[in-house]
Amino acid sequence: MLIMMKSHATSEEIDAVCRKIELMGYRAHPIPGSTRTAIGITGNQGPIEAAAIEALPGVGECVPVSKPYKLVGRELKEETTVIDLGDGVRIGGPELAIIAGPCAVESREQTRTIAAAVAAAGARLFRGGAYKPRTSPYSFQGLAKEGLEILAEVRKDFGLKIVTEAIDVESIELVEHYGDVIQIGARNMQNFSLLKRAGKSQKPVLLKRGISATLDELLMAAEYILAEGNYNVILCERGIRTFADHTRNTLDLSVIPAVQRQSHLPIIVDPSHGTGRREKVLPLSRAAIAVGADGLMIEVHHQPEEALSDGNQSIHPLDFEQLMDEIRQIASVLGRTVAPGSARKT
Ligand code: PEP
Ligand code: MN
């Protein structure tokens, strides 16, 4: 059930409704909208006695929820959520969020070289895994805390916001301490204890679509995070497993408008994991922006052939600069922007 407050409801009236819901033994989730506040209710097993709430001052109407999710849906909040990371960096607003960097933090020098290049091209967020969920236990697993410290230096020295992955409930504490956005990877999309723990974090969460997840499964995974009180979730399409074998995964760009119809959460696209092939990253980045994504996550490496993970899909900094130039033009057609770069063209 959703409680739609009247547009002129006061904060005292909203608080009183939340208190009433909590007294009934449920959890209240007040979500301010542009015209009025909606309050989601979770924690109930069966139907909720609406009459007691409806009678309270400031309440407009009690609306039953028709979807299996309550907090991620547009029924609760009409306008797209904009996540503010500070220093003018927002995800979900008119400026596209471009997250770029290596698959993994390999060394201080490697990380700083790539950070300098992507910052100069206009990226405002930096990616790089310090904990890597690898298919083989013998592959490079990441530098862990040392990697997070390198990322913190990158934030300080290059002014980039840090997006980095937590692979389990053990690693999330350090990740939320050092990072600006906690990434939850495709393999962990239904790791419910990790989702609940991320829901208790103060940091926004970037939730990647599972390797074979449906749209509803993705939204329900996000719901786990919101249900714990963290409303700052960014969804990410990163390709799904299909019978096609000309790419690593099949990038499902049709999910973007489908998500936008159902959910107020911002959604970005990762064409690097989505295709697994360097030469496909630029064309699918163009398409992702054209289809209406709120941003991109791109793997960039200055020596892709030497990369310790995902070299095949990592693009060179010069190609990243070209990508940024092209998506800047596509974005402008759609009334969106991409931060300017400082890199000079030769
Ligand atoms: C990554 O972003 O490096 C990653 C491991 O992605 P995914 O979880 O989408 O495979
Ligand atoms: Mn990767």
Side-chain angles (χ1 to χ4, degrees), residues 57-342:
V59 173
E61 50 178 344
C62 297
V63 189
V65 188
S66 58
K67 300 279 178 0
Y69 38 82
K70 305 177 182 186
L71 304 175
V72 305
R74 283 229 188 246
E75 283 174 319
L76 179 70
K77 184 166 178 272
E78 234 178 303
E79 60 275 16
T80 299
T81 291
V82 179
I83 295 166
D84 194 345
L85 297 174
D87 304 314
V89 181
R90 293 186 188 85
I91 305 179
E95 182 178 303
L96 298 174
I98 310 299
I99 308 167
C103 180
V105 175
E106 299 169 8
S107 69
R108 173 172 284 109
E109 202 212 335
Q110 170 251 16
T111 309
R112 294 179 69 91
T113 303
I114 299 167
V118 301
R124 304 189 72 180
L125 299 104
F126 188 74
R127 63 148 293 142
Y131 299 92
K132 294 305 303 174
R134 303 304 299 279
T135 302
S136 163
Y138 310 119
S139 300
F140 177 60
Q141 303 283 313
L143 296 181
K145 186 161 186 268
E146 188 193 338
L148 295 173
E149 286 165 357
I150 294 171
L151 289 170
E153 281 180 28
V154 161
R155 175 185 30 240
K156 184 158 78 54
D157 296 345
F158 298 94
L160 293 161
K161 299 291 175 192
I162 303 299
V163 182
T164 192
E165 181 166 354
I167 51 169
D168 45 34
V169 282
E170 286 79 38
S171 56
I172 194 168
E173 205 168 310
L174 281 179
V175 165
E176 71 186 345
H177 176 72
Y178 285 98
D180 297 297
V181 176
I182 303 165
Q183 178 173 326
I184 295 188
R187 290 156 194 81
N188 268 320
M189 191 203 81
Q190 285 186 318
N191 179 340
F192 298 116
S193 46
L194 182 59
L195 296 174
K196 286 185 193 167
R197 173 60 184 78
K200 295 192 169 73
S201 178
Q202 301 299 315
K203 295 280 169 79
V205 178
L206 175 78
L207 177 65
K208 298 187 94 175
R209 182 179 182 183
I211 284 166
S212 59
T214 63
L215 168 54
D216 268 8
E217 286 163 347
L218 173 62
L219 294 179
M220 292 306 285
E223 183 83 14
Y224 266 90
I225 302 170
L226 273 76
E228 296 295 331
N230 187 350
Y231 307 121
N232 291 324
V233 175
I234 306 120
L235 304 173
C236 179
E237 162 61 29
R238 47 77 72 204
I240 46 171
R241 183 69 56 84
T242 66
F243 55 83
D245 59 4
H246 61 287
T247 49
R248 179 178 177 184
N249 293 296
T250 297
L251 190 66
D252 177 17
L253 291 180
S254 72
V255 85
I256 307 300
V259 162
Q260 289 169 338
R261 188 184 163 93
Q262 310 225 28
S263 174
H264 56 84
L265 297 175
I267 178 156
I268 67 161
V269 170
D270 170 354
S272 306
H273 293 87
T275 64
R277 306 289 283 273
R278 183 174 312 131
E279 74 281 3
K280 296 187 171 66
V281 172
L282 174 62
L284 283 153
S285 297
R286 295 181 191 126
I289 298 309
V291 87
D294 295 301
L296 297 172
M297 173 176 258
I298 309 284
E299 286 188 341
V300 178
H301 202 293
H302 63 304
Q303 292 171 317
E305 50 304 317
E306 318 246 303
L308 296 182
S309 65
D310 286 347
N312 288 342
Q313 65 196 35
S314 299
I315 62 171
H316 194 272
L318 280 176
D319 295 326
F320 179 66
E321 211 183 305
Q322 159 95 15
L323 182 155
M324 292 292 273
D325 281 348
E326 294 196 16
I327 61 164
R328 231 170 245 123
Q329 296 173 52
I330 298 169
S332 74
V333 175
L334 300 166
R336 302 194 82 165
T337 58
V338 175
S342 58

